[in-house]
Amino acid sequence: MSSSTDAVPDPGTLTAAVQDGRMNRRAWIVTALLVAFQIIAFADKAVLGLVAGLAMPELGLSAVQFGFIGSAFFFLYSVVSFGVGILSRRVRSTWILLAMGVFWALAQFPMLLGGGAAILLVTRILLGGAEGPATAMSLTSVHGWFAPADRALPSNVVAAGSALGPVVAAPALAWVIVEFGWRWAFGVLGIVGLVWSLAWLLLGSDGPFAGHRPAERPAETTVVPVRTLLLSSTFAAAVIGGFGNFWTQGFLTTWSPQYLTGVVGLSLAQVGVVSTLPWLFGAGLLLGLGVLGRRRMLGGGSVRAAIAVPFGVAAAVAAAAFLLLPATSGALAVALLTVAAGCSLIYPMLPSALAFAVAPQQRGLVMAVLGGIASIGAICSPFVIGVLMDAAGYRAPAAGQPRTPDMVATMAAGLDHGFLLTGGVLALAALATLLFLRPDRTTTKESPR
């Protein structure tokens, strides 16, 4: 791994160094590794939904119990996010990311080795805690490699890794499950996590805009009290918007494969392909909005126009699509689910927006606090949807038995209630971000160039 002197040029030569082609290449190598990091993080979330049909009967889990395990992934999400956010002011993001990658990998192997329901619950809690700061630390790291006006595109490229996780993982893990059994889905993710950790150890480092020490900060940077931002309407709007996105992620990663197999009637192999569509749509949307945001910023546009408004519009579109889902079926339902899910997978735009309102050394803390609070949405949704399915009368079949028509009908009723509730949550997120997400008013503390 590069030394700190390689990662942080002398402030007097910072501009020349950033313009150097070698540093530009290094910035994009680190960006590519962070994309892979995000892919692994979200593949870890998606695996539970993919194994649900086989794991629930074998482990003897009801819909409520399985929903509780889905929610458990986020039990420590907030706590660890806060802790790592504070730690990031003293420890370089490079080392934090490495520790997270190794822990993720090791947390997967107990289920491969025969763990039961209790082990699944414990490992999901621990894994979720270790993944809590993933987006915050990834964006903190990539922001350290690019000047403020250039960050919209690389930030959204890294964020697109969140959407590409299931795109890459769902078909591969579905194949693994069919060929080798559902436990090997966890084993494969553990192996991939170890490979990434080795690559990051060799190639990862902090960039010239990381701002760890006063001597490393650009002269125009000033530090404002984090409390000023955390008590602002802008931060409150970001929390509400993030809650909506996390709610949707928790819902979809836990229950959408069940919807596609049980209600739409797809096979597991088909689900592995169809499950990629929302994430592909979300990744394309993130990249498109990243290009648009960069153009607006370079043209003198505000952070609100470049990031906040596009986020709010996407949340409104997602809300409308979810509200329409209960009235549809078949291919149209898949299309609406694709749009609804894809438009609500752009959470990383929110911490990127807030990053413009704080100094470099404050980014990790602010992003982690936002993620920690917003992730409560993902704690709630899997369990709440499980309760709605249970209230509708759904009961999982015995191991090795197919679902009866009555089971499918009750599953559909419970999930339809979940779609309507999710549409309402996202409508509130859209309204809050469109009206109140104004990072520019919090006073930008970095020069835009």
Side-chain angles (χ1 to χ4, degrees):
M1 184 175 295
S2 298
S3 67
S4 60
T5 54
D6 292 333
V8 184
D10 180 80
T13 61
L14 182 59
T15 301
V18 171
Q19 293 173 345
D20 185 271
R22 289 174 299 175
M23 178 165 289
N24 187 58
R25 287 193 297 272
R26 183 63 181 277
W28 285 104
I29 289 172
V30 171
T31 300
L33 285 171
L34 292 171
V35 169
F37 183 75
Q38 289 291 94
I39 288 174
I40 295 169
F42 277 75
D44 288 345
K45 294 182 179 71
V47 67
L48 189 65
L50 291 170
V51 304
L54 297 173
M56 286 175 67
E58 183 174 326
L59 299 178
L61 298 171
S62 68
V64 172
Q65 290 169 331
F66 190 75
F68 181 79
I69 291 176
S71 296
F73 185 88
F74 296 93
F75 285 176
L76 294 179
Y77 209 89
S78 300
V79 175
V80 179
S81 291
F82 295 150
V84 171
I86 295 171
L87 185 66
S88 69
R89 304 187 72 170
R90 297 182 177 275
V91 179
R92 293 181 181 276
S93 60
T94 299
W95 297 111
I96 294 175
L97 290 165
L98 177 62
M100 290 168 65
V102 172
F103 190 93
W104 296 358
L106 296 179
Q108 301 289 1
F109 292 116
M111 289 310 298
L112 172 64
L113 300 176
I119 296 297
L120 179 60
L121 174 63
V122 171
T123 55
R124 295 305 287 179
I125 292 173
L126 295 176
L127 182 63
E131 289 196 4
T135 297
M137 290 301 101
S138 295
L139 292 174
T140 297
S141 181
V142 79
H143 283 191
W145 282 97
F146 295 90
D150 292 321
R151 285 182 193 148
L153 180 57
S155 294
N156 279 23
V157 168
V158 171
S162 305
L164 290 174
V167 170
V168 174
L173 291 177
W175 179 82
V176 169
I177 292 167
V178 170
E179 295 295 325
F180 303 102
W182 63 270
R183 291 185 183 277
W184 264 104
F186 294 95
V188 167
L189 288 176
I191 294 169
V192 170
L194 290 177
V195 171
W196 181 88
S197 298
L198 178 61
W200 183 255
L201 179 64
L202 297 175
L203 301 173
S205 68
D206 285 6
F209 293 96
H212 292 288
R213 298 183 297 273
E216 296 169 358
R217 300 169 195 155
E220 67 274 14
T221 300
T222 59
V223 181
V224 296
V226 172
R227 181 180 179 183
T228 300
L229 179 62
L230 299 185
L231 295 179
S232 68
S233 59
T234 284
F235 187 79
V239 167
I240 296 171
F243 181 94
N245 274 192
F246 272 99
W247 173 284
T248 306
Q249 289 178 27
F251 177 13
L252 295 177
T253 54
T254 304
W255 291 114
S256 68
Q258 294 289 288
Y259 173 75
L260 293 171
T261 55
V263 180
V264 179
L266 303 181
S267 68
L268 182 59
Q270 290 172 324
V271 169
V273 176
V274 172
S275 293
T276 67
L277 298 179
W279 305 94
L280 279 172
F281 186 89
L285 182 63
L286 274 169
L287 292 175
L289 293 178
V291 172
L292 176 64
R294 183 174 185 273
R295 288 178 178 175
R296 287 186 174 181
M297 291 291 291
L298 291 175
S302 66
V303 179
R304 171 173 166 75
I307 301 178
V309 171
F311 178 93
V313 171
V317 172
F322 271 117
L323 293 172
L324 291 172
L325 260 171
T328 62
S329 61
L332 180 57
V334 172
L336 277 176
L337 184 62
T338 297
V339 173
C343 285
S344 54
L345 296 174
I346 57 175
Y347 163 76
M349 293 179 67
L350 295 175
S352 292
L354 293 184
F356 285 89
V358 295
Q361 67 273 21
Q362 297 172 311
R363 289 185 207 124
L365 176 59
V366 169
M367 290 179 179
V369 171
L370 171 62
I373 300 175
S375 67
I376 294 172
I379 295 175
C380 299
S381 61
F383 180 70
V384 170
I385 304 304
V387 170
L388 291 174
M389 292 173 64
D390 188 73
Y394 176 70
R395 300 295 182 270
Q401 298 298 313
R403 295 186 183 93
T404 66
D406 285 343
M407 290 176 180
V408 172
T410 53
M411 173 187 284
L415 288 172
D416 283 347
H417 290 144
F419 290 141
L420 293 175
L421 179 58
T422 300
V425 170
L426 286 169
L428 178 61
L431 186 64
T433 51
L434 286 172
L435 293 179
F436 301 110
L437 186 59
R438 301 174 181 271
D440 311 271
R441 290 189 177 181
T442 313
T443 306
T444 301
K445 294 301 172 183
E446 288 181 290
S447 168
R449 297 196 181 272

